[in-house]
Amino acid sequence: MTALPRFFAEYQRRVTAELERLVGRDDGTVEQAMAYTALAPSKQVRAVLVLSCAELCRGPIDRAVPAAAAIELVHSSSLILDDLPSMDDAPLRRGRRANHLEFGDAIAILAAFGLLNLAFGTIARAYEPELASQLTSTASEAVGPSGLIGGQAIDLLATDRQITFETLERIHRGKTGALFVAAATCGALTAGASADSIAALSAFAKNLGLAFQIVDDLLDVEGDPAHTGKAVRLDARKTTFVSFSGVDGARQLALELCETADRALAPFGSKADRLRELSAFVVARSS
């Protein structure tokens, strides 16, 4: 397995503590289902991106933690929905049975909406109105028709159909890339970053998110469920970056996207080295 960059550990500790505070208190069935996915072992790459961008823009890390947790809650919500039989019909997630297999479809859907609602509530309670509005708008756009929902819809309609590379890229810039961009933007916003800094970090995250998805496609073909924490070869009926470009072509594309992402960090100089470590991890990861 590819080792996580060393700086992940402190960020993960902070985010996990916040997630436990948010979802770990109640024992109702829906609450249990929410915690089952949100607190499952994970790399928290999106939350790490929030905190890394906040720190790069000289913001207090503690101030960015609620935004990082909110992004993780949105991501957890999307995983529950993605795994449903009516969506990707996946049996395994984060090394555990998919949420709907553990709690049933109905409770899983309620848990997904509970996590999404909690994400926006977390932002509203943690930040002053103007910043809360910016963060909420950013997260909402990432979830909506131009983001997660839109990408998933196109993906579902593309099952058992030939699609163009442009459509494939559109799917995954929505399904995966949009939340990466939201993570970077939210981190920078909590730090009061300039418009130029936000634009540079958004460009970095846009390419990083697409590279992350390409590596996911590679892992669906080559990965080991014991390492990836989810079932493999579930995308046989869909066009993926691997089926389009081949294994070597997809790996090269992921590398080029990470190189492009890194070039967007030029205005920050060596201060952005942690983000460069993150992109190197993304392209090399085995889980």
Side-chain angles (χ1 to χ4, degrees):
M1 288 180 61
T2 307
L4 289 171
R6 292 179 63 182
F7 71 87
F8 268 52
E10 177 60 19
Y11 290 161
Q12 289 172 323
R13 183 190 67 77
R14 290 173 182 256
V15 172
T16 298
E18 181 70 357
L19 290 173
E20 288 174 344
R21 185 183 72 81
L22 292 168
V23 302
R25 293 177 295 178
D26 298 315
D27 59 1
T29 303
V30 173
E31 290 86 350
Q32 289 178 22
M34 291 166 63
Y36 180 82
T37 296
L39 299 180
S42 71
K43 294 179 287 295
Q44 298 178 346
V45 171
R46 294 154 189 82
V48 167
L49 182 57
V50 174
L51 298 184
S52 298
C53 289
E55 189 170 46
L56 177 60
C57 296
R58 301 183 179 181
I61 294 300
D62 287 346
R63 181 169 169 78
V65 167
I71 290 293
E72 277 299 307
L73 292 170
V74 170
H75 179 53
S76 294
S77 172
S78 74
L79 296 181
I80 295 174
L81 295 174
D82 280 355
D83 291 344
L84 289 169
S86 57
M87 298 286 183
D88 293 345
D89 196 17
L92 193 68
R93 178 69 70 170
R94 292 179 168 175
R96 301 177 174 183
R97 280 169 25 111
N99 197 292
H100 67 276
L101 295 178
E102 192 71 17
F103 296 94
D105 291 9
I107 294 298
I109 292 169
L110 293 175
F113 281 98
L115 290 169
L116 189 61
N117 184 64
L118 181 58
F120 290 116
T122 296
I123 291 171
R125 288 187 294 272
Y127 300 102
E128 60 273 20
E130 182 177 355
L131 178 55
S133 177
Q134 291 177 300
L135 296 172
T136 301
S137 177
T138 299
S140 176
E141 185 173 348
V143 171
S146 62
L148 296 170
I149 290 172
Q152 178 72 355
I154 300 171
D155 194 28
L156 289 171
L157 293 172
T159 301
D160 292 326
R161 292 176 55 194
Q162 290 292 323
I163 59 173
T164 65
F165 188 86
E166 289 73 21
T167 299
L168 179 63
E169 183 175 347
R170 183 182 171 196
I171 288 170
H172 293 300
R173 288 209 183 276
K175 282 188 67 173
T176 306
L179 197 56
F180 273 76
V181 173
T185 302
C186 286
L189 285 171
T190 66
S194 68
D196 286 346
S197 292
I198 292 172
L201 292 172
S202 295
F204 168 80
K206 177 181 178 181
N207 289 291
L208 184 73
L210 192 55
F212 190 95
Q213 178 59 52
I214 293 171
V215 175
D216 259 6
D217 286 356
L218 285 164
L219 292 175
D220 185 69
V221 173
E222 301 180 319
D224 179 350
H227 293 157
T228 64
K230 57 185 180 181
V232 297
R233 296 171 185 82
L234 290 180
D235 293 334
R237 297 171 59 202
K238 297 180 181 180
T239 300
T240 68
F241 287 101
V242 174
S243 65
F244 210 103
S245 303
V247 168
D248 291 340
R251 187 171 287 113
Q252 180 62 30
L253 180 56
L255 178 61
E256 290 172 0
L257 283 164
C258 284
E259 290 172 346
T260 301
D262 288 350
R263 284 196 291 273
L265 301 174
F268 300 101
S270 62
K271 295 176 182 177
D273 281 349
R274 282 191 169 182
L275 290 179
R276 296 183 181 95
E277 282 187 65
L278 175 57
S279 69
F281 166 74
V282 163
V283 78
R285 70 192 176 94
S286 57
S287 64

